[in-house]
Amino acid sequence: VGLWKLGWEIFQKMSVNTVFIAGGLVDYRYLLAEYQGRVRLALKNKDKEEKAADVVAEVEEDFLEELAKSLAGLIPQIPGVKIRLVTSRAYDGWIGKEVAMRLVEKRRDIRHSIGRLRYDLLPSTQTLGVYTPEEGVWMRGKYASTPVQRVLEDEKGRSSHGLCDMNAVGCFASSFFDPGDSTDLQVPFFSIPALSRLGEVRTSENQVGVTILEIPPSGNLRESMVFGYNFKDVLGEEGRLVRAPHGSSEIQKDIVRVISERRPMSLSVLADATKHGRNELMEAATKLLAKKASDGFSGLTYYDADRTYGLSRKWFQLRARYPKLSAEDLTEEAMVAFACLHAGCKWTDMKWFRDEFPKLILRHHVQHMFGVGDFIEGTYHFLRERGEIILGGIDYANYTAQENLAAYLVSSVMLTVFEARFTAFLEANKGKTLSPEKLMAGVTDSLLSHPFIGGNHCKWVEPLGFKALATYVPELERRVVWGIHRTLAKHNLRTLDPMAVHGMVASKIFKPEAGGDLTLPSQLAVHMHHPEMGRTKTVSIRAQEVLGFSKTPVVLEANFHTELWMALHDPRKGGQRICMELGTMKVRSGFESGKLKIVDTGVGYLSVMRRKSDGRIFSTKAAFFGTEKKELDQLVAENASVLADFEKDYKK
């Protein structure tokens, strides 16, 4: 119940329009055993005149009514917001369905569907599909997307209308979002975490929390903003909510303290942890067992089966209330990332990258622009002969030209953002005399940082004895430095040391050394990776593999030309961890079309909210922004102005 209240507080703060509970309204297996126990007891005690069927029916009605009445009072409400229950035949069973039907009668804000719901997204004509599994338990799997994709594939085959425009799947306690272009489903879909402590693992359950989907004003569902909230850490720390009852002795306080940290515990382990004698502990524990639970004390229980002392689970289920996190308790770090720019490829949407990408950065107030490999197309695999290389005024089947083109595109983004932010800085300081130090600070704050790594296409020169991106880095620095001085001159500001500006720019454009790991000024650690391997049909495999390989809270990976946001919780690696799998700036390619592969085109945005107390991730928001799937003629026409500007400058 404490988790429900925490979730609903977030829903209310975020002004949601509708709350969906996608399966798992009740724990069917547990309740079925309890129901069967009540039936056996009632049949054992029935009068001879009573019919067994009547006794069972009465027990069933009382049992279901008791559950429905309890849930009607416990599930939170938000004025004006409807709750849409979608029960699962596999997870809720007949008990969950019957309870949901009774909830609809008791709560005017609750609606109920079984298995699936097609929900109209007004005022657009698009729909949201919410699905739960109908079949029995599948074999446990390592990859979170496997059961989710299976539910959606089954629905796609079953329904005469096909899948909805956006799709959500519940019951599997995972958190990920796929924009959908590159999958067989070809519609965006996401998986929903559990809002309860995880018990039995049936598939690959890992996530506890809530998800909020924000539909963009454009109505482009592939660019929806996904907010993910992590409650698993507060569950792991819930023992801190318990304190010894008023009037407890020091030994009783020690018992409550150590059990709340490491529960449950046998007497011998308790003695070792508290350094008190066994007889003293037993006497103190016996007195604690007799004390009733209160708002701060859960009550102590003794489990005969394994002879351990623990805290009352019922108290945590009903009375525990988790602390709210205010803005003062959290720190936020936002970033954008791109990969597989493939400069030199005729299928790359250079115009969108140069002209639209900076607008996204400014809109979302981002300070860091990550580049996760494959800046160039290269010439390996006979790409020139296969017609994959741009035809322009210069020879683009040339590594130097391609790295220069990549530097031009990235510098254009950095300088467009710099110009807007520096102009705002000057406007904010209008009428003031700017010292060289303050002016330099304004220039520094206005410039994006650009951490990057190479990719397999970038490294194709290395067997020939050349360093990957050896031209890209100095050319990018040159263009950015020149652009900054041009902006300063435009505003009649010539007081900065050119060497200092160059040094500042060089510090912003860098390749991490230790295997792609870096720590941002906010102390958020990020890992970048460009695995040299192919994609798979199971969408979460590569993200989970890179999360397993790395150690940082945030991971950015690419090479598969597919997009995915995913969260996994790992206590040994700092709790909640996030992976952003990045697509490409190609709209397609001959190579991929020949292998029946569709690509995700665009860039990724990620904002991470961490607790100031320990740096653990509490929430994230993520989105993928991209270009439309254009035909080659349109792409060539739009890119013509980009190539003209680059070639004019390149010839100089």
Side-chain angles (χ1 to χ4, degrees), residues 48-61:
K48 291 182 179 180
E49 294 78 14
E50 290 182 293
K51 294 181 179 179
D54 293 338
V55 171
V56 171
E58 184 178 352
V59 170
E60 180 180 316
E61 180 61 28

Side-chain angles (χ1 to χ4, degrees), residues 408-421:
Y408 165 74
L409 293 171
V410 175
S411 66
S412 297
V413 175
M414 295 181 72
L415 289 171
T416 300
V417 174
F418 172 80
E419 175 76 24
R421 289 180 173 171

